[in-house]
């Protein structure tokens, strides 16, 4: 017999892991090709999972892009397109480009901050 606390913790962990899997376009393609997105109960489950967008839950996510995918999965047209491997490949490429842009931008900001701190130190 599982206590409520243990059951709630397990459910939290399972849903956290599943929601984060939605960040992987190849996994979405896998689900689409096996007909999961045609199953009304599964689509309702995806709707239920929108609670992860709330800050008290979102703070646990390591891959925040999963929330964008979860939002897109609310649309039947998007779910249908995911059957196509080219669609998944395109999403994957766009995520990589976004990550590269973000990484370069973050590095430039960190360099500028370091230079500013160095100038402030040398002025004193």
């Amino acid at each position: 017999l599982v206590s409520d606390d243990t059951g709630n913790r397990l459910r939290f962990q399972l849903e956290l892991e599943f929601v984060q899997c939605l960040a992987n376009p190849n996994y979405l393609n896998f689900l689409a090709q096996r007909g999961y997105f045609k199953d009304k109960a599964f689509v309702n489950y995806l709707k239920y999972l929108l609670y992860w967008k709330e800050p008290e839950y979102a703070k646990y996510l390591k891959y925040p892009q999963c929330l964008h995918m979860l939002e897109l999965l609310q649309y039947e047209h998007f779910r249908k397109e995911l059957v196509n491997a080219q669609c998944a490949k395109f999403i994957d490429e766009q995520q990589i480009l976004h990550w590269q842009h973000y990484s370069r931008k973050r590095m430039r900001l960190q360099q500028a901050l370091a230079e500013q701190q160095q100038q402030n130190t040398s002025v004193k």
Side-chain angles (χ1 to χ4, degrees), residues 4-20 45 48-49 51-52 54-62:
D4 279 350
D5 281 350
T6 304
N8 287 338
R9 188 170 32 255
L10 180 60
R11 181 178 177 172
F12 175 84
Q13 290 170 340
L14 290 171
E15 290 180 356
L16 172 63
E17 185 175 337
F18 177 72
V19 166
Q20 293 196 107
Y45 181 63
Y48 156 77
L49 292 173
Y51 77 86
W52 282 96
E54 299 299 323
E56 65 264 30
Y57 295 99
K59 68 183 177 185
Y60 294 103
L61 297 171
K62 185 174 181 178

Side-chain angles (χ1 to χ4, degrees), residues 6 26 35 41 50 94 119:
T6 304
N26 296 308
L50 287 170
Q94 293 304 305
Q119 287 175 353

